[in-house]
Amino acid sequence: MSKENVELVTNLQPAADVDIAELFRNDDIWSALADAIAPFFRPDFESVAPGVPGTERVHVGLDGLRAAWLEWIEPWLTYRTEIEQVIDAGDRVLLLTHDYGRREGVAQEVKVDGSAVWTVSDGKIVRACFYTARSEAFAAAGCGILTDMAEESRIPDLVELGERIREATVRRDLDAIMAFFTADAVWDASPMGIGTFEGQAAIRGFWEDWISSYEDFELQTVEAHDLGNGVSFGVAVQRGRLLGSSGQLELRYAAVNEWEDGKIARITNYTDIDEARAAAERLTQERA
């Protein structure tokens, strides 16, 4: 049934010119779509949003699928997706896409390479897991290194490297965090009013003080983009409870990363997301 599974998943994807943001945000459009596609999904169908490996939020049913997508597209005014490749993996279908999002007040779209693994049982969709790192999608689909593309996916891209740093941060693994920085790296948090830290020792000290001040600590990726020319841009939300406090703190910030040979040479953090996005775009053009 693998061929049928591929056809099922492919046919459920929106056309390349469909604005997914409008599709999920508009109650009438979504209601009509949900009625049309319901026969192809099991009632307890699960969808898992990208960006938080190990602590994924599982959404149930078609309303859950909508909720997952609404969370993902929250920063975007418009959002569309184009199928790049569909890979038959038996009862799983690996879907690779090029996604394009546009922010309000910005004419140019931002391109994101997307990936998802759809699981089919008895002709119905039972689970869809979405990934920001394609290597994780290949592994989940059981493709391993069976295809040339899977082999290429083992070469970490900047988004995947950033995700590994996030995971190490959540684990409070300072050694793993510092392994992603050059010896003379600069951590510039001056746009946040915190200061600038130069060299691994200074950066490690900053992070050790910052993380140790929290009893509970969570870091979630909201956006992550490889802009090219050794520049990546990401938006994250940090939540945590300070030692001796009962209240939760939340910080939403953006990071502009400059990479050299797979390591961060400079990272600049901003609380103003739009300022950070503009800075990342300028830096990408300057390094072209």
Side-chain angles (χ1 to χ4, degrees):
M1 293 289 290
S2 57
K3 179 181 179 181
E4 289 80 357
N5 293 344
V6 169
E7 292 178 351
L8 172 61
V9 172
T10 302
N11 291 336
L12 287 171
Q13 305 311 308
D17 60 349
V18 171
D19 181 4
I20 295 177
E22 181 181 14
L23 186 156
F24 285 108
R25 288 171 179 157
N26 187 294
D27 291 339
D28 293 335
I29 295 176
W30 167 249
S31 179
L33 176 63
D35 288 342
I37 65 176
F40 305 104
F41 289 81
R42 211 163 66 181
D44 59 350
F45 158 77
E46 295 180 341
S47 53
V48 184
V52 199
T55 58
E56 298 94 337
R57 287 190 59 187
V58 178
H59 302 266
V60 179
L62 288 177
D63 286 341
L65 175 65
R66 185 190 189 191
W69 267 105
L70 286 174
E71 290 177 5
W72 179 251
I73 62 176
E74 188 274 333
W76 306 103
L77 178 64
T78 65
Y79 199 93
R80 62 186 182 88
T81 182
E82 297 178 354
I83 295 177
E84 176 187 352
Q85 187 174 4
V86 183
I87 299 175
D88 182 352
D91 63 348
R92 296 182 180 92
V93 177
L94 175 58
L95 181 70
L96 305 179
T97 62
H98 294 309
D99 297 359
Y100 300 86
R102 182 172 64 85
R103 302 276 296 188
E104 185 172 4
V106 179
Q108 186 176 4
E109 292 180 317
V110 174
K111 179 183 175 183
V112 182
D113 288 333
S115 55
V117 176
W118 295 71
T119 304
V120 183
S121 177
D122 296 327
K124 291 183 181 291
I125 305 292
V126 297
R127 187 175 177 89
C129 295
F130 301 88
Y131 300 87
T132 54
R134 287 189 168 182
S135 59
E136 294 178 3
F138 274 102
C143 294
I145 57 173
L146 297 180
T147 66
D148 291 340
M149 184 173 291
E151 183 68 31
E152 291 174 4
S153 75
R154 298 176 68 194
I155 303 174
D157 60 21
L158 301 189
V159 171
E160 182 177 353
L161 290 174
E163 181 59 25
R164 292 181 186 177
I165 296 174
R166 186 201 67 80
E167 292 173 350
T169 303
V170 172
R171 296 195 309 269
R172 307 190 186 211
D173 188 341
L174 291 172
D175 289 336
I177 294 172
M178 297 317 304
F180 289 98
F181 288 84
T182 62
D184 58 350
V186 175
W187 189 299
D188 184 1
S190 58
M192 301 175 67
I194 296 176
T196 301
F197 306 87
E198 300 184 12
Q200 285 207 10
I203 294 173
R204 184 186 182 103
F206 160 69
W207 263 110
E208 190 168 17
D209 291 342
W210 184 275
I211 297 176
S212 64
S213 65
Y214 285 88
E215 182 74 23
D216 300 320
F217 185 86
E218 175 188 348
L219 186 62
Q220 178 178 349
T221 301
V222 178
E223 289 183 50
H225 311 289
D226 182 346
L227 302 182
N229 300 322
V231 178
S232 65
F233 168 80
V235 179
V237 175
Q238 175 189 302
R239 300 182 182 89
R241 180 168 58 86
L242 292 172
L243 291 172
S245 173
S246 59
Q248 288 280 332
L249 294 180
E250 179 173 304
L251 172 64
R252 185 185 182 96
Y253 68 95
V256 179
N257 301 332
E258 300 175 49
W259 298 80
E260 294 179 1
D261 298 325
K263 292 190 176 184
I264 293 179
R266 186 181 187 91
I267 180 171
T268 307
N269 287 347
Y270 300 79
T271 52
D272 187 322
I273 308 301
D274 291 333
E275 179 185 359
R277 197 183 305 276
E281 292 173 353
R282 288 195 303 269
L283 182 61
T284 303
Q285 294 175 355
E286 291 170 0
R287 293 169 62 113

